[in-house]
Structure formats: C-alpha cells, structure tokens
Amino acid sequence: MLYGWTGKRLRVDLSTGSVKVEEIDGTYREKWLGGRGFNSALLYREVGPDVEPLAPENKLIFGVGPLTGTFAPSSGRTTVTAKSPMGSPPGFGDSNMGGHWGPELKYAGYDQLVIQGKAAHPVYLWIEDGRVEIRDARHIWGKLVPEADAIIKEELGNADIHVAVIGPAGENLVRFACILNDVYRAAGRSGMGAVMGSKNLKAVAVRGTGAVSIARPDEFYSICAGIRERLRKDLMVQMLYDQGTWLLTMPANYEQGWFCWRNFQKGNHPDARLLSGENHRDNYLAHREGCFACPISCGRFSRIPGGRYAGETTGGPEYETLTAIGPRVGLLDPEAVIHNNKLVNELGMDSCSCGGAIAWAMECWEKGLLSGEDTGGLALNWGDQELVDKLIKMIARREGFGNILAEGSYRAAEHFGRGQDYTMTIKGHDMSQDDPRGLGFAFGIGFATGRRGGDHLQGLPCLELTGAFYPGLVKKILGTDEAEDRLSPVKKPEMERYQEDLKAVGDSLTQCTFTHSWSFAVQPEDMARLLSAAAGIDCDAEELLKTGGRIVHLERAYWNRLLVGRLEDKNPKRFTREPMPDGPNKGTVFPEDELIPRYYEVRGWDGETGFPLPEVLKDYDLGDIADELEIYRKKYLDKIKMSQS
C-alpha cells in the first residue's frame, strides 16, 4: 500500500481530448516531495526555453503533496505552475493557493494534474474520482468568478464540488490574470490565469471520495495534536486569527516604515491606521475563514455596512491586496479598498500586479511622463477611487488605456518608451507591497534573486521580522541574534538561504507558510516527523532542507536557461538608489552591491554569472542539469561582455 501520496499523475491534452494516468515512482516522490517540487521538476523537463507562455505547448500544472488531505495542520494548499507570461523574458512562474480544492484533487486520486494543448472552444474539466470529462463552457465564458462557480456546481448537481476558475481577465489574456478556487482563494502571482485562458479552459471542477492512507496513524495523530496545541498558544497565530494579515498595517507604517505609499515614494502616512486590523475587525469583518485542516483561520470575509458600497460582501482582502489597491495608488479608505478587492477577485486578477500597473501610471502622470493623449483622456490622479474602479474594469476587459496596463507596468513602460524608472518590477514582475528599506535586508535579497520576480514569498525571511518573538531561535539557526535586526546585514544571506529552502519544503508538503515562516511554531524537525509518519519513510530535518535547496537550484536553472542571472538580479532603483525620505528608516537604502555577492557565495552560485556552480548542483543530485547549464553559462558570459561594451 502507498502511504501519503497517491502516486498518480493525471494528464489532460485539450487539443486532442486525451486523458492519461501515470505512476509517480518512489524515487521521484522522495526527491521532489510533491506540490511545488513536483511541478518545478516537471516544468524544467517538459517546458523548454523556446516555449511561448501562451502557446498550447506550455503546461499548466496543479500539484499537491503527501500531507494534503490529512489532519496535518494547515496542509491544504495547492501549487499551480507554468511558464509565466509576466516576466521579461517570460520565465518561471508559479503560485500557491489555499482553500479546499487541493485536498479534493487528492481524494479524487491524484498528486498532480498536468494540462496541455488548447481546446477548440471554451471548456471546463470535471474530475470525479477516476472519471475525467471535458465539458462545454461556452455558456459560462465571460462570467465573473462567483457566477461561473455557481453555474458549474448547479449543473453538476453538487454544492460540495470545488472549482478552480478564471474570470474575464484570464479569458482576455491579461498577463497577471489569476486562478481562484472556492471563489476567493487565489493563485495570484505569475499570470497562471492567463495561461489557463490561453488553453480555452474556464475551470477545473473536482470531487473525490477517496482517502489518504497514513503509514503510522497513531504516531501521526500524536504529532498533529502536539503541533495544533503549540499553534493554539502561539502569539503570532493568535494575532492572525484576531486581525488577519491586516495586523501588519500598524507596525509597517508607524514602527518600521515600509508602508508602500504612492508607489513606494515613502514608507509611512499619518492616517494609515484607517487600514489597521483593529478597524477592519471592529467595523468590516463579517466572519473569519480557514482553509482545509487549518486551525489559524487568518482568512477574512468582509462586509461594507454603509456608504456608496453599502451591503457589498467579499472574501478578503489580505494585506498585500489591501495595500496594492489602497495606499500604493494613494487610497486609505477601507471601504474603497474592500470594494476594489471584490472587483479584482471577481474579474480574476492578481491585485499586486494590477495595483502596480495603476500606481506606475499615476506616478508617470504626476511627473508629466503620461498625458491625456496617452490615456484616452483619463486624468490619473493619486487617490481617485472612481478612476481606480474604472481602470480595474478596463484592464480586465482590455479596453482603451486598460489594454496597455493589462500587459503589466514593465511592458507598459516599454510601450510608451517612458517611465522605466517607476516600474517597481524585478525580472518584469511587479513587486508585492514590501519595501526592503524598512521591511528587512534578507527580504531585499529574496526580491532581487527571486524565482518569480519581485515577491515577498520567495523565502519569506520572517526571522528578521518576527523571529525575536521566539527567544533564542535566530541565534540557534544563524549563530547570532544580531540577525534579528531587520536592517542589519549580519547573516542575512544565510537567513535568506535557510528560509528559501524551508519555504520550498513547506510548499512541496503543501503546508501553509504561516505555520513555519511567520509563526515559527512548526519547525523543520516537525515537518520531517509528519512526513515520516504519514508516508512511512525515514526522513530528518537536514534531508528535508536539502530537498528544499534542490528545488531552489532547479528553479534558478530554469531562469539560467533563459539567460537570466547576475545582470537581472536587481531590485527597483528606488530601493537601492533613493534613500527613504522620512520616517523611522529615513536615509536607508538596500545595500544590494554588498549583499547579493555574499548571497551567491552562501548559495554556491558563481559570482560572475549568478549560475549555480556545477559541483553544487552535483551535490544536490542535479548533475545532469550541471552538464546542460554549461552551454548556457558560456552564452551568458557573452551577454555580460555585450553589456559592458
């Protein structure tokens, strides 16, 4: 009997209508764990550097892990992976979503779903245990996310079905379109919704009645119960339950100075408390929500009690969304922010990139780089909620000026040939709402070198943000508690490496990052014990972290094959050249020139190219990739010479 995993991969070709089930052997399972690891390994092997992201040859991959669908706390997440249309060049892309869709796929009998090809007309996929059906979706093409979800459940006659669906933005190939499951749980980053739309695939509906077999059930239950008790007593978990991620607003703005006011022009605003967790909890919280098997319940469901949006309800928002379509575009009105969140969710767009594109345009307008002639007569003034509402809809439907912003801020600047210095992007991806001039220097390393561009979830190095709440933890991991200081360079490359590897493990086991990399109630030793008891294998923390490192190196190699390396590992100039103008971090810049070379050294990447060294890849059982990368390393050296000439 197979424990933990199902050992099955489901492949669907939408061009031919063929369906195939493959075995995932034990060596592969233990080498890549599941979820993100499974997906990244498959993407590297099957989607080469010449594949266009919106072509039928690209593959849209859904992956779950050995803990998915079990009693393990917060283990219900799903990773979605494909070559991303967002990057410049288009490169590695993935996103991770909560909800209940992933466990349902597991109960239907699969660890991984791989979709390729393109249907002749809009379709949706219906997976019910071992039965797979490609169904006509022309009647729901164009529907908002909640509408499509409801229609599919009604016609399949089961309200317990879980549906991953795209909105109009995905259908219109907005580069930062996302996928949502259970209506409000988003695989937001990297444009996975655009890839799904390019395949004429509106939704994937899943229902399973199977079970996950546990090798040592009594031991597994005991470990889970112990972790749940620790989570219950954990301060960070208690705060997440109370305020959700809205809790970040007050320290980000008033104590640490990394609030993303007006496209990161500064890190604080005197009225930011309007978006505090307390204000949301007391005036807008309808109820709390948790993902599958999650005792934290950080999810918010909001209701606007009065004003112009009175009566509107929506899942969320969480911190990254509320700041992307709030202060980043000059808004502090919580009702406007909740309304904008409802819009981007229903239309199916990544709030980070949507807010980033609008904020870029507003700053260009402010500085006279865009005119009414460029915008179709729109005046792009900071904080104009009517404009933001209008632009979100125009972007999703690719109308007028919105069609240009639907390409993301990086390509919009290329289109006009103006405003490149105000695109807050890395490798073509818009930043999340996090400024390393205040948030922390380990975060800055992760932004610059990240596997999917500017994003706080590369490693989520919260040891420098919340590590001090766990006395002795930072010193135990890094040998010094100086690294607890967010703006100290001490041991920050080592911190980022540790948390990247840990994050890769969590994403592959599909355990929520809030358990092990915000709260630190779950340690790598716990994850190893959970996996060992569930799957019936012997595994320790050191082995698990090495597996995490293997996944990180593989994803880096994916970029390297696209000739992306040291030259592209750069934060937006604002973070490295413009000192924070005021607030608690006045005068701070991120010391990129000092920390990135040190990170390469710690990671085992070549200082000249940023490629993983061959001996390091071989040590991580990636010797075949080491040989392949040699060709690209020589090409990249030529690229460096060209840049210097």
Side-chain angles (χ1 to χ4, degrees):
M1 177 179 286
L2 185 59
Y3 299 106
W5 297 279
T6 70
K8 305 285 186 187
R9 174 187 296 123
L10 175 63
R11 288 185 185 266
V12 178
D13 188 328
L14 294 174
S15 295
T16 63
S18 66
V19 175
K20 185 168 67 173
V21 178
E22 297 174 346
E23 300 289 332
I24 303 175
D25 68 44
T27 302
Y28 190 92
R29 293 195 300 268
E30 293 190 35
K31 183 171 183 178
W32 300 110
L33 291 180
R36 174 176 157 188
F38 276 12
N39 290 5
S40 296
L42 191 141
L43 188 79
Y44 187 92
R45 292 298 175 204
E46 300 190 11
V47 181
D50 296 331
V51 172
E52 292 296 325
L54 301 181
E57 292 76 19
N58 197 6
K59 297 188 179 180
L60 183 67
I61 313 162
F62 296 78
V64 297
L67 299 183
T68 307
T70 73
F71 185 55
S74 311
S75 58
R77 301 192 69 84
T78 306
T79 295
V80 188
T81 306
K83 189 171 185 181
S84 168
M86 270 300 288
S88 179
F92 181 87
D94 75 4
S95 197
N96 187 271
M97 61 184 183
H100 293 69
W101 190 93
E104 206 67 34
L105 181 71
K106 188 83 170 281
Y107 296 149
Y110 307 106
D111 293 324
Q112 195 176 39
L113 167 64
V114 183
I115 302 168
Q116 66 185 64
K118 179 179 181 179
H121 58 76
V123 298
Y124 74 88
L125 199 59
W126 168 222
I127 302 169
E128 185 179 27
D129 293 324
R131 187 167 65 86
V132 181
E133 186 179 351
I134 300 171
R135 298 175 67 106
D136 195 331
R138 281 176 282 198
H139 60 302
I140 52 174
W141 199 252
K143 299 291 186 187
L144 299 175
V145 166
E147 296 170 337
D149 181 271
I151 292 170
I152 290 171
K153 286 176 177 171
E154 183 177 357
E155 70 185 30
L156 294 176
N158 191 334
D160 292 331
I161 289 166
H162 294 281
V163 185
V165 63
I166 60 171
E171 299 168 10
N172 294 324
L173 308 183
V174 172
R175 285 187 183 268
F176 45 85
C178 66
I179 301 170
L180 294 106
N181 83 89
D182 297 339
V183 180
Y184 300 114
R185 297 292 178 174
R189 308 244 59 194
S190 301
M192 297 297 100
V195 176
M196 192 157 155
S198 74
K199 298 184 178 304
N200 269 337
L201 180 62
K202 180 68 176 179
V204 182
V206 183
R207 179 65 174 154
T209 58
V212 181
S213 298
I214 301 296
R216 302 193 288 267
D218 291 343
E219 178 185 342
F220 185 72
Y221 179 83
S222 175
I223 298 167
C224 291
I227 293 173
R228 284 173 178 270
E229 181 62 13
R230 243 182 288 153
L231 287 168
R232 189 180 69 81
K233 296 176 179 175
D234 186 272
L235 176 61
M236 297 310 302
V237 168
Q238 292 169 359
M239 293 172 70
L240 280 167
Y241 174 79
D242 183 49
Q243 298 180 28
T245 51
W246 289 69
L247 70 87
L248 283 170
T249 298
M250 296 298 279
N253 184 79
Y254 296 103
E255 299 168 21
Q256 300 169 354
W258 50 274
F259 199 59
C260 58
W261 181 247
R262 292 187 176 177
N263 206 28
F264 300 96
Q265 291 185 18
K266 56 187 289 187
N268 67 94
H269 189 283
D271 298 325
R273 58 176 44 83
L274 290 168
L275 296 178
S276 70
E278 292 89 345
N279 191 30
H280 179 266
R281 179 196 61 203
D282 296 342
N283 296 297
Y284 302 102
L285 178 65
H287 61 262
R288 297 174 175 84
E289 292 188 335
C291 298
F292 180 91
C294 183
I296 302 175
S297 295
C298 70
R300 307 291 96 173
F301 195 87
S302 301
R303 181 178 181 280
I304 302 174
R308 58 185 153 172
Y309 303 122
E312 285 192 5
T313 59
T314 183
E318 47 76 47
Y319 180 80
E320 291 296 341
T321 291
L322 75 91
T323 44
I325 48 182
R328 190 160 173 180
V329 297
L331 283 165
L332 291 172
D333 175 1
E335 293 171 7
V337 166
I338 293 168
H339 168 77
N340 294 342
N341 169 75
K342 177 181 170 69
L343 281 184
V344 293
N345 274 350
E346 293 186 350
L347 292 163
M349 289 191 291
D350 170 32
S351 55
C352 293
S353 293
C354 184
I358 295 173
W360 167 80
M362 286 180 163
E363 184 158 12
C364 287
W365 179 269
E366 177 188 48
K367 292 182 164 51
L369 298 172
L370 290 178
S371 68
E373 197 171 312
D374 300 312
T375 65
L378 296 172
L380 308 182
N381 296 312
W382 294 113
D384 182 343
Q385 167 57 14
E386 286 189 20
L387 172 75
V388 173
D389 177 290
K390 186 172 186 175
L391 279 177
I392 289 173
K393 296 169 184 168
M394 289 174 66
I395 291 169
R397 303 194 188 285
R398 283 190 172 272
E399 295 171 350
F401 183 59
N403 186 43
I404 300 169
L405 297 185
E407 294 290 296
S409 66
Y410 184 89
R411 286 180 171 80
E414 284 188 328
H415 172 84
F416 288 111
R418 286 166 262 155
Q420 285 87 348
D421 285 349
Y422 307 112
T423 63
M424 303 303 288
T425 61
I426 298 172
K427 301 182 180 73
H429 287 248
D430 288 283
M431 283 291 303
S432 52
Q433 287 39 259
D434 308 297
D435 187 334
R437 294 174 296 178
L439 178 60
F441 288 169
F443 275 98
I445 296 169
F447 296 154
T449 61
R451 63 200 173 86
R452 60 182 190 193
D455 189 291
H456 61 301
L457 294 173
Q458 313 297 329
L460 200 68
C462 283
L463 281 172
E464 66 179 357
L465 198 63
T466 59
F469 287 98
Y470 302 84
L473 180 63
V474 172
K475 187 170 185 177
K476 174 187 171 188
I477 295 170
L478 297 168
T480 173
D481 52 18
E482 285 186 68
E484 290 177 0
D485 181 346
R486 293 174 292 111
L487 304 184
S488 164
V490 173
K491 291 286 185 180
K492 292 307 168 69
E494 289 85 351
M495 178 184 286
E496 176 62 17
R497 179 189 61 181
Y498 171 81
Q499 296 241 230
E500 283 175 349
D501 293 353
L502 179 59
K503 182 74 164 52
V505 172
D507 290 345
S508 300
L509 297 176
T510 64
Q511 192 159 36
C512 178
T513 191
F514 286 168
T515 65
H516 56 74
S517 292
W518 180 331
S519 157
F520 291 92
V522 175
Q523 289 292 296
E525 291 78 8
D526 299 311
M527 299 159 98
R529 291 169 63 215
L530 283 169
L531 176 61
S532 298
I537 61 175
D538 293 323
C539 173
D540 61 29
E542 185 178 352
E543 290 174 86
L544 266 191
L545 289 172
K546 187 152 190 174
T547 300
R550 179 181 304 125
I551 295 166
V552 172
H553 285 304
L554 178 83
E555 292 164 350
R556 179 67 173 185
Y558 194 91
W559 278 110
N560 294 154
R561 287 195 312 189
L562 294 159
L563 301 185
V564 172
R566 178 179 65 80
L567 295 176
E568 293 75 23
D569 284 344
K570 292 184 182 304
N571 274 280
K573 286 183 182 177
R574 175 156 285 158
F575 295 159
T576 59
R577 298 290 182 265
E578 292 183 24
M580 187 67 85
D582 58 17
N585 311 313
K586 183 178 179 180
T588 302
V589 294
F590 173 63
E592 189 164 88
D593 293 342
E594 172 191 350
L595 290 180
I596 299 303
R598 281 177 49 199
Y599 171 78
Y600 285 174
E601 188 177 346
V602 166
R603 188 45 101 179
W605 293 354
D606 174 40
E608 187 174 15
T609 62
F611 282 37
L613 294 166
E615 60 270 28
V616 173
L617 290 174
K618 289 172 183 171
D619 183 50
Y620 280 87
D621 196 17
L622 296 172
D624 53 339
I625 289 173
D627 296 338
E628 182 185 15
L629 275 193
E630 274 309 297
I631 300 168
Y632 296 97
R633 191 188 309 272
K634 290 171 184 170
K635 291 181 180 178
Y636 195 71
L637 286 169
D638 292 339
K639 181 178 179 179
I640 292 174
K641 287 178 186 172
M642 287 282 289
S643 73
Q644 295 168 340
S645 62

